[in-house]
Amino acid sequence: MSSAISSARFSVLDRSRVREGHTGPEALRDTVGLAREAERLGYHRFWVAEHHGVPGVAGSAPTVLAAAVAGATRTIRVGTGGVMLPNHRPLVVAEQFGVLESLFPGRVDMGLGRSVGFTDGVRRALGRGKDDAEDFAAQLDELLGWFRGTSPTGVRARPAEGLTVPPFVLAMGEGATIAARAGLPMVIGDLRDRDGVRRGIDRYRERFCPSEWASEPYVVVSGTVAVAGTPEEARRLLIPEAWSMAYSRTHGSFPPLPPAERVETLSLSAKERGFYESGLSGHLAGTEEEVAHRLETVLEETGAQEVLVTTSTHDREALLDSYRRLAAIAGLDGGTATRR
């Protein structure tokens, strides 16, 4: 194992993807089951996501799901990747994480993003518009102020005030600059755009201002990692997500994940084929030896301290096997430490 891999943390972000032939409730229960397995394998964090009105994603209430995950596990850190702050009042977000931290002290992370809904209809239903994302820096400052007790309103966020819930910024677009100025850890992806990731990390490190939350830059790189016995098996893990993404790009709706064998029988238009092939390329996929080499390259190129794995597929057993193989690559041992 390389020194870059052995010194990095490895974590999991599960987006509660709905699978063809299965239900949304099943997807949420699968997420909780995966969290238990991630803890057993020794992964550092387990995060859940926020999506609204998406047929293929069941995770619409990340703090509620994070509570279920934390209640089903004992040692792994639990959090969000992320709560989309423009969708919510910062006071309510602070209260929710204050409750989580109070119930599961020392285990909760607060990953925050700036997206405002997948479609115009969802944004209208949330009472938000695209411009709300432009206020993310101010929303972030207000949120952190509730934990510090510095709100000028005179209102106190209970039980959040005085608690320490580590915040992370999901760095999409201007997120790297916002994370740097706020002095917060940054999560950046996806790994298919290696040049874009490096530019974002460089910008973050150059502009980082130490804060009470982080004394130095902390970089988490996120993306799909698929490990299997053969390169072909690893590629098949990528097929359901690649097809669903291609479908969403051509039809405007993100569907449940289909089985790989069904996708392989489909006739795709040239446009769909282009998106599909793009969705299959650039990921860290292959055998243990191949993925270890690619992981080492990524970590050496980026200097990241942590890898957040975001893999989704239809075949749950193949997904669990991939996470087991990755844990072996990373030298995880199922330890019980709750490092920050």
Side-chain angles (χ1 to χ4, degrees):
M1 189 195 320
S2 77
S3 59
I5 292 176
S6 63
S7 60
R9 290 167 168 162
F10 284 80
S11 299
V12 177
L13 166 62
D14 190 66
R15 289 168 290 161
S16 304
R17 291 300 314 275
V18 181
R19 297 176 291 148
E20 275 190 12
H22 300 268
T23 65
E26 284 181 90
L28 296 173
R29 291 191 288 271
D30 284 343
T31 292
V32 175
L34 180 59
R36 291 195 188 100
E37 180 68 2
E39 179 176 77
R40 188 188 70 78
L41 291 169
Y43 284 93
H44 183 56
R45 311 179 203 276
F46 191 94
W47 283 5
V48 297
E50 174 181 343
H51 296 275
H52 300 283
V54 181
V57 184
S60 56
T63 54
V64 176
L65 184 53
V69 168
T73 55
R74 296 185 305 107
T75 59
I76 195 167
R77 296 194 63 83
V78 176
T80 56
V83 165
M84 296 301 138
L85 195 51
N87 291 340
H88 312 280
R89 294 302 309 165
L91 170 61
V92 175
V93 175
E95 291 171 335
Q96 291 173 345
F97 279 97
V99 170
L100 281 171
E101 176 64 20
S102 299
L103 293 172
F104 308 101
R107 292 181 57 203
V108 176
D109 301 319
M110 184 168 59
L112 305 162
R114 60 196 294 263
S115 296
V116 286
F118 189 61
T119 65
D120 289 338
V122 169
R123 287 189 287 271
R124 284 194 300 272
L126 291 169
R128 296 293 185 266
K130 288 184 178 180
D131 292 344
D132 286 301
E134 303 306 314
D135 296 328
F136 179 68
Q139 295 158 354
L140 180 63
D141 186 61
E142 180 184 344
L143 172 61
L144 299 181
W146 289 116
F147 287 93
R148 293 187 296 248
T150 58
S151 171
T153 64
V155 176
R156 313 295 283 272
R158 305 186 190 281
E161 186 175 318
L163 297 180
T164 299
V165 182
F168 294 73
V169 172
L170 276 60
M172 294 175 286
E174 287 300 305
T177 299
I178 292 170
R181 289 175 178 167
L184 301 180
M186 176 185 73
V187 182
I188 188 166
D190 72 43
L191 293 174
R192 290 179 299 171
D193 180 14
R194 205 70 58 80
D195 290 339
V197 166
R198 283 196 297 265
R199 285 194 300 270
I201 292 172
D202 289 344
R203 185 164 65 249
Y204 168 69
R205 291 197 173 113
E206 289 166 2
R207 302 179 184 184
F208 185 84
C209 301
S211 71
E212 64 184 277
W213 303 101
S215 60
E216 57 188 23
Y218 188 89
V219 174
V220 183
V221 291
S222 68
T224 295
V225 182
V227 195
T230 68
E232 293 75 22
E233 289 172 334
R235 183 181 183 277
R236 295 191 90 238
L237 279 166
L238 306 176
I239 286 174
E241 181 87 13
W243 181 86
S244 292
M245 185 62 69
Y247 187 92
S248 73
R249 297 288 296 274
T250 52
H251 295 78
S253 176
F254 204 87
L257 295 176
E261 54 268 25
R262 187 174 79 76
V263 175
E264 291 171 331
T265 68
L266 296 176
S267 178
L268 304 180
S269 69
K271 188 175 183 179
E272 288 171 331
R273 175 66 60 181
F275 285 130
Y276 173 65
E277 294 295 341
S278 175
L280 289 172
S281 65
H283 301 292
L284 305 188
T287 64
E288 283 95 330
E289 183 178 359
E290 291 169 332
V291 169
H293 174 71
R294 290 165 189 162
L295 263 176
E296 182 178 358
T297 300
V298 166
L299 290 168
E300 289 177 349
E301 286 180 352
T302 62
Q305 290 100 324
E306 188 168 340
V307 179
L308 182 66
V309 184
T310 63
T311 311
S312 297
T313 194
H314 186 276
D315 186 336
R316 293 299 295 184
E317 186 48 50
L319 179 65
L320 291 172
D321 182 63
S322 177
Y323 275 115
R324 293 180 193 117
R325 290 172 184 267
L326 177 59
I329 293 170
L332 306 184
D333 58 3
T336 60
T338 55
R339 297 175 300 160
R340 278 200 183 151

